[in-house]
Each structure stands twice: as structure tokens, then as C-alpha cells.
Amino acid sequence: MDRLLAYMKETAAMVEQRLETILPYADLRPENLHEAMRYAVLGGGKRLRPLLALASFDAAGGISAYRDRALDGGCAVELIHCYSLVHDDLPAMDNDSMRRNRLTVHKAFGETLAILVGDALQALGFRVMAEAAGPMAGQTVTELAKAAGSTGMVGGQVLDLEGEGTTPTVEVVERIDRWKTGALFTVACRIGAILAGADEKALTGLTGYGDAIGVLYQISDDILDRTANADKLGKTPGKDAVVGKLTYPAALGLDGAREALNAKSIQAKDAIKDFGREALYLRLLVDFLIDRVK
């Protein structure tokens, strides 16, 4: 696990440096918008989506000379993710005041500017993806649009909000998790694989891995919401139960959620069983996500 933690630290630093360059500088007009965009993106987060893009690129045998394309592709997914967090935290959505152990964007800069920050980050994410992918830009931008749209992340958010206070079932929870959270995990893996020139078998394996790891991550997050304190979670704990969110712990209890977590870990590793040592970090990441709830 030390090896993975070192890889995560190295990757996060690389991603942070690249995002620092990609984002407009705070002294560029309109200064308040650009300051808030940088606040929303920089200085926090595990950067798992860029890590997945890079690790999938490597697992698919990508050429090192083109690895920067995978880095920028991962950063594009991260920008879309950050926009979604800004909007998720708004009073009309989850109404959160803390994110990554500091004030959410709407608390720090106001609700109106927070909406515009999310809009700007979304546009920037697609621009970065289009510019990063070279001859594969059309394919990767389409992949990202599908993952972020009405049958992906945004659709999952709608299902999440509509489900509040209703009786949870595993089928509905799975669909919410697969769309709201899992879609960006899956597309990060697919973009990394596509930019590596993966064949159909490798792309299928990494897609299956992304599908499983995305839901696995959300299950672990939901368990932590029930069991962790604010310092460990980085945001207000216990809110899911208060508002009646449809989660695995709500549907199955904590023990059942942990069983589902283990089942997803097996599914994730099975999807990449035909890969060799080049997929080491993808396998270790599964164990890391299991360990975070112990």
C-alpha cells in the first residue's frame, strides 16, 4: 500500500501543477470569477479521476511520449467533477457549507458566482479535453459529454434528488451511484485507454473496471458518511441519513453495504485480470478504497 500512496502523492502533485497552469489566473478579468474557479479546483481532493486516466493509459500500453495527453484528459474529467461539486453544494441541491475541510464555493463567494463558477469549469473541461486528445478529440469529447450528461452524472443527480425520502432499493441505489459518481470514473478509464490506443479487449476490461470502481468508491463514501467525523470526511457527516438519501447503507444497513463493497472489489479486479503488472496501481486502488472504511 505504501507504493500506491507514493504513486497517488506523485500523481496528485502532477495534476495539481497542471491544473494550476490550465486555470485562468486570478488577476485576469473578471478577477472574482477566476479567483473562485481556482478556489473550487486547487488545493484539495484525491485527484482519483486523473489518476485513473493515467493508470489506464499505462495499463493499456500507452507510449510515454503521449502520456501528457492522458494527463490533460484526466484534468478535463477533474474539471467536470469540480464543477459538479460546486453545483452539488448549492442550497437548491445538497446545501452543504463545507467541502475539503473549508467553506464551499457558494459560502465563500456567494450563490450567484458559484453557479457561474460551475458553468465556467464545465466549459473549460471540454476545452481541455478537445485540445488534449489530438486526432482522437472527437471520440474523447463525445465520451466525456455522455458521462457528464442526462444519462450520466447529471441524470444521476436528478435521480438522487428525486429519491430523497423514498424507500431505498439496491436497484435504484445502484443506478444512482453508477450515473452520479461512477460515470466519471468509467470515462476517466476509457479516455486513458483510448488515448493509449487500446484494443477492444483492453478497452472493455478497463470499462468494466471503471464501472465497478466508481460504485465501489460511492459505497465507501456512503459508509464514511455514517461512520467518519468531519475531519476525516472533509465535509459535513451524517447528512445523507438526515435528508433520506438513497444509499447502500440505507438500503442494506452498514454490514450489507460492506458486503456490497467487497463484491464490487472482486468485480473490479476481475475486469482487469488479463492485464499484467502494468495494471498494478489499478488493483492496489481497489484495496485502498476497501481499507478507507475499516
Side-chain angles (χ1 to χ4, degrees):
M1 198 58 65
D2 288 346
R3 188 170 181 180
L4 175 68
L5 293 175
Y7 178 76
M8 291 176 71
K9 183 178 180 180
E10 176 188 345
T11 302
M14 187 191 315
V15 170
E16 193 79 7
Q17 184 177 31
R18 185 62 184 130
L19 289 170
E20 170 83 30
T21 304
I22 288 170
L23 286 160
Y25 289 109
D27 59 357
L28 181 68
R29 297 182 64 186
E31 294 90 342
N32 59 341
L33 174 62
H34 294 145
E35 179 188 358
M37 288 170 68
R38 296 177 75 83
Y39 179 93
V41 175
L42 299 175
K46 292 175 283 295
R47 309 304 188 197
L48 290 180
R49 293 153 192 84
L51 183 152
L52 286 170
L54 287 165
S56 295
F57 177 89
D58 295 337
I63 299 171
S64 59
Y66 295 115
R67 200 167 189 265
D68 283 349
R69 289 183 177 179
L71 173 61
D72 278 9
C75 286
V77 179
E78 186 73 3
L79 289 167
I80 299 297
H81 169 59
C82 289
Y83 119 68
S84 76
L85 297 183
V86 174
H87 281 187
D88 268 5
D89 291 334
L90 288 167
M93 298 280 197
D94 290 346
N95 194 25
D96 265 314
S97 59
M98 296 296 295
R99 169 77 64 180
R100 295 171 176 170
N101 291 313
R102 60 181 181 175
L103 291 175
T104 51
V105 174
H106 74 272
K107 286 291 185 181
F109 294 91
E111 188 175 341
T112 300
L113 192 63
I115 294 170
L116 296 172
V117 165
D119 294 343
L121 290 176
Q122 182 188 49
L124 181 59
F126 281 107
R127 174 184 167 184
V128 170
M129 188 72 264
E131 292 176 350
M136 291 169 280
Q139 184 179 0
T140 56
V141 168
T142 298
E143 291 273 349
L144 186 56
K146 288 179 179 178
S150 62
T151 55
M153 182 186 71
V154 172
Q157 175 71 353
V158 172
L159 295 177
D160 184 42
L161 291 170
E162 288 180 345
E164 289 182 4
T166 64
T167 301
T169 66
V170 173
E171 291 76 20
V172 174
V173 171
E174 172 95 8
R175 187 180 304 117
I176 291 171
D177 289 356
R178 190 176 295 280
W179 286 14
K180 183 180 177 182
T181 302
L184 290 190
F185 277 71
T186 302
V187 80
C189 294
R190 286 183 61 83
I191 285 171
I194 290 166
L195 293 174
D199 60 25
E200 194 61 37
K201 181 180 179 181
L203 182 58
T204 298
L206 289 166
T207 300
Y209 174 87
D211 288 345
I213 201 80
V215 177
L216 188 158
Y217 176 83
Q218 188 58 57
I219 297 172
S220 69
D221 215 43
D222 291 341
I223 292 172
L224 286 173
D225 185 75
R226 293 283 190 100
T227 61
N229 58 34
D231 288 339
K232 182 175 181 180
L233 198 59
K235 56 185 177 180
T236 308
K239 289 198 67 177
D240 290 349
V242 171
V243 299
K245 289 278 188 185
L246 300 188
T247 64
Y248 271 88
L252 299 173
L254 281 174
D255 288 343
R258 290 190 174 100
E259 290 178 8
L261 190 74
N262 288 327
K264 286 296 176 185
S265 73
I266 294 169
Q267 183 181 331
K269 287 185 178 181
D270 186 62
I272 54 172
K273 66 180 185 300
D274 292 332
F275 289 81
R277 286 190 58 80
E278 65 274 14
L280 172 65
Y281 292 118
L282 294 176
R283 295 187 183 95
L284 290 176
L285 182 61
V286 175
D287 297 330
F288 170 80
L289 293 177
I290 294 289
D291 286 344
R292 74 195 285 250
V293 303
K294 289 182 179 177

